[in-house]
Amino acid sequence: MKPRPVTKQDLLRVHDETYVNLIYRLAETSKPYDVETPVSPQILEATQLIVGGAIEVGSAVCNNEISRGVALGCGYHHAGRNYGGGFCLFNDIAVLVEYLREKHGLEHVLILDYDVHFGNGTSDIYYSDSDVLFISLHQDPRTIYPSIGFIEQIGRSAGEGYNVNVPLPPGTSDGTYLHVLKEIFIPLAEEFKPEIIIANGGSDSHFADTLGNLGLTVNGFFTLSRTIAEEAESVCRGKLVLMPGSGYNPAVLPLCWYALIAGVAGQETINVTDPYTPPVEPSWNRRRVRDTLAKLKRVLSKHWRCFRR
């Protein structure tokens, strides 16, 4: 599918006009937003096409032209309504959600963020919204940017209980990660019953990524995306938009993105292996994760029947 640039009107469904205008002005003179978030005419053009591409894919899914779609290069989850950062200018996940709510009448959307970093921008945007369930699996915020995304941050007001954070210790490998997915994502999706699932994250949860310290393998990403796709079939007639966009090791990024796409496309297996030998998960990780899950379920049990035992 050929993407069209996102319009300013689409951006303003999410972002403050003052902030959008600031990014456009910075682009004219190639001035960075901050030390790690550059802006230029070329970066703005690419961003507009990537965000516009997400809208094209989401619309095709909602129009039943396709059941599942992949929007490459997406996942700018550090951008909030009036701020950017962490390489992110506009939050394409939220822009897509708001477009689908307005143009396609969607009322319940589930966002699964499996990036190694917590999606603070997406979380902030929907922190008081009970119609968007935001679930984030990410590395322990005490060990990585942006240093937030703790179990206790569950939303406020009407959105209390709809912001779900699963912080994972460094070194968490495939088995433990997929256990978390089945313990948290699947029961919440079954109870929430979204009309579409939007999943974002690239390869930075891979064990060889240079900015993260989780322990997923290429085949772990494949099983992850197959699990997401199977759950979409179960709860929302297969409606799924995958938004892979992160990753900071070019030796593994294309392998992981391929694995993610292959899983969503319904392939039974992939003939791809990691270029490095995976490390062994620390023996104490599974116990720490079990404790995290128990605490999280207690915190969320007030809001979700699936966690009341």
Side-chain angles (χ1 to χ4, degrees), residues 212-245:
N213 300 106
L214 291 184
L216 292 190
T217 66
V218 170
N219 273 288
F221 281 103
F222 177 64
T223 307
L224 165 66
S225 69
R226 278 181 58 87
T227 302
I228 298 169
E230 289 168 2
E231 189 59 21
E233 290 293 337
S234 173
V235 299
C236 52
R237 295 178 295 151
K239 293 188 180 300
L240 168 65
V241 177
L242 186 76
M243 305 174 78

Side-chain angles (χ1 to χ4, degrees), residues 84-214:
F87 317 137
C88 303
L89 298 178
F90 302 124
N91 192 306
D92 50 349
I93 304 146
V95 171
L96 173 59
V97 169
E98 295 312 305
Y99 183 92
L100 297 181
R101 291 169 101 178
E102 180 176 321
K103 299 296 184 180
H104 295 273
L106 297 193
E107 296 181 353
H108 294 95
V109 177
L110 191 156
I111 300 170
L112 175 65
D113 188 329
Y114 56 88
D115 192 276
V116 74
H117 304 95
F118 171 59
N120 56 303
T122 312
S123 174
D124 284 350
I125 291 166
Y126 293 112
Y127 208 64
S128 301
D129 193 330
S130 62
D131 294 325
V132 177
L133 173 59
F134 175 69
I135 304 172
S136 179
L137 281 62
H138 51 266
Q139 186 175 318
D140 187 333
R142 296 171 296 180
T143 66
I144 198 170
Y145 177 90
S147 302
I148 56 173
F150 295 99
I151 289 173
E152 297 80 8
Q153 295 172 295
I154 63 170
R156 73 167 64 91
S157 187
E160 186 174 327
Y162 292 84
N163 191 97
V164 179
N165 295 312
V166 190
L168 302 171
T172 297
S173 65
D174 295 347
T176 302
Y177 194 98
L178 295 168
H179 173 71
V180 170
L181 200 71
K182 292 174 182 177
E183 287 290 309
I184 300 298
F185 164 65
I186 289 179
L188 284 175
E190 297 283 347
E191 184 169 340
F192 184 62
K193 293 181 173 55
E195 294 158 278
I196 192 171
I197 294 174
I198 297 173
N200 73 276
S203 67
D204 60 4
S205 296
H206 188 273
F207 68 83
D209 189 78
T210 58
L211 288 188
N213 300 106
L214 291 184

